[in-house]
Amino acid sequence: MSSTMNQITSRPNRTVRIATFLFALTVVFFLLAGLAIVVGQIATLAAGEATAARHWAAAVAPYAFGGASVAGLLSFALSYRKQDPDRD
């Protein structure tokens, strides 16, 4: 005689999976945008163009800060998702 046990597999719902994907995407985006700011400023300063370095940072910074803001909001929202007590 064998017994079978139904195992309940908990899978995050679609909304959590999408939010987690978007969080990872925005983190990568703002890290790359920050890197672009730093590398662009290094290149323009090495060329002796301090004004161009400031303009470069002013042009790219809104994208980096926007990505960081979205990532922060998604992180905050994801902190309220229900946790499975068996998955710690």
Side-chain angles (χ1 to χ4, degrees):
M1 186 176 249
S2 69
S3 65
T4 59
M5 181 180 226
N6 290 336
Q7 293 183 357
I8 299 172
T9 58
S10 77
R11 234 177 97 185
N13 66 17
R14 185 179 189 139
T15 306
V16 171
R17 286 185 289 148
I18 291 171
T20 303
F21 173 77
L22 289 175
F23 169 72
L25 187 67
T26 56
V27 167
V28 169
F29 175 77
F30 92 77
L31 289 174
L32 289 175
L35 181 66
I37 291 171
V38 172
V39 170
Q41 285 186 319
I42 289 171
T44 54
L45 287 174
E49 299 289 333
T51 304
R54 285 192 296 273
H55 289 302
W56 174 258
V60 180
Y63 300 105
F65 296 141
S69 298
V70 173
L73 291 171
L74 286 169
S75 174
F76 179 73
L78 285 169
S79 71
Y80 284 97
R81 72 181 185 269
K82 291 182 181 177
Q83 294 289 330
D84 185 6
D86 296 331
R87 286 183 55 196
D88 289 333

